[in-house]
Amino acid sequence: MDSSGLYLDVTDFAHSTPAWVQSAFEFWTEYGLLVFGALFIAVWWRARGARDPRTVALAVLAPFVTALAYVASELVKSTVDEERPCRAVAGAAASLIKCPATGDWSFPSNHSAIAGAAAVALALAVRRLVLLTVPLALLMAFSRVFVGVHYPHDVAMGLVLGASLAALAVLALAGPATRVLAAVRTSGGRTAVLIAGPGPAR
């Protein structure tokens, strides 16, 4: 798969943008995943008051399936051994952030896999969040090409891998997780209430 031409188009465009735009993308590509972390916490905290334990289960599963997607992406990355475009593409402009060291392979993009998985998992937990999480995931994927450290096919595959694994994992684990959370709630212990929430006031 060769998307070096599109990579050059995007990186040339990146270098033509104002300095503040470049800085914004540099910041987002480095720290944007923290937004998904904050959403995981917010969705879980909100779910603790829900009557249906499935709501809590979906919130708890969101970071878990995202971690699974990261592991899967890392396994593929270690198998494919694709060099980063910031070293491999002749005539490319210098990457806006430091080019990762040799051995930190390019395919697929871990950032994109994490963002894709988080976007889907959070949207399955709170449906209306899809309007926020999907654009954020797409922006994360684009930023990895914009700053010059991934090919377009790296981020596309990362998104697809993360999103599909998250959806399948939630589908497979939602039932068992709901039963576990329901049992935890009925135990009434402090730790149980902290994790699963007390449920609605009776």
Side-chain angles (χ1 to χ4, degrees):
M1 188 179 301
D2 182 11
S3 59
S4 56
L6 183 55
Y7 170 81
L8 287 170
D9 289 341
V10 174
T11 52
D12 286 346
F13 167 72
H15 279 266
S16 73
T17 60
W20 68 267
V21 173
Q22 295 178 20
S23 296
F25 271 96
E26 291 168 23
F27 182 86
W28 174 252
T29 206
E30 294 285 0
Y31 303 108
L33 292 180
L34 296 177
V35 175
F36 291 105
L39 287 171
F40 287 146
I41 295 170
V43 167
W44 163 69
W45 190 259
R46 173 183 174 274
R48 292 169 72 253
R51 183 177 298 278
D52 184 2
R54 180 181 173 85
T55 302
V56 188
L58 291 175
V60 171
L61 282 173
F64 177 72
V65 300
T66 300
L68 287 179
Y70 165 73
V71 171
S73 176
E74 191 63 29
L75 288 173
V76 175
K77 185 186 289 280
S78 65
T79 302
V80 175
D81 293 358
E82 177 188 74
E83 187 58 272
R84 295 277 180 165
C86 37
R87 265 189 300 275
V89 177
S95 56
L96 297 180
I97 63 173
K98 183 179 179 181
C99 192
T102 300
D104 184 353
W105 306 113
S106 192
F107 180 87
S109 163
N110 283 343
H111 280 70
S112 300
I114 292 168
V120 168
L122 286 165
L124 290 173
V126 181
R127 294 296 174 85
R128 63 179 177 273
L129 275 181
V130 70
L131 298 175
L132 173 64
T133 61
V134 168
L136 289 179
L138 293 173
L139 183 61
M140 174 55 69
F142 178 72
S143 76
R144 302 304 288 168
V145 183
F146 186 94
V147 301
V149 296
H150 276 292
Y151 292 103
H153 66 263
D154 296 338
V155 300
M157 182 54 69
L159 285 172
V160 170
L161 177 65
S164 58
L165 281 179
L168 290 172
V170 169
L171 181 64
L173 298 174
T178 298
R179 291 190 289 274
V180 169
L181 266 295
V184 168
R185 270 189 172 180
T186 58
S187 71
R190 276 188 187 176
T191 303
V193 171
L194 175 63
I195 297 172
R202 286 175 169 64

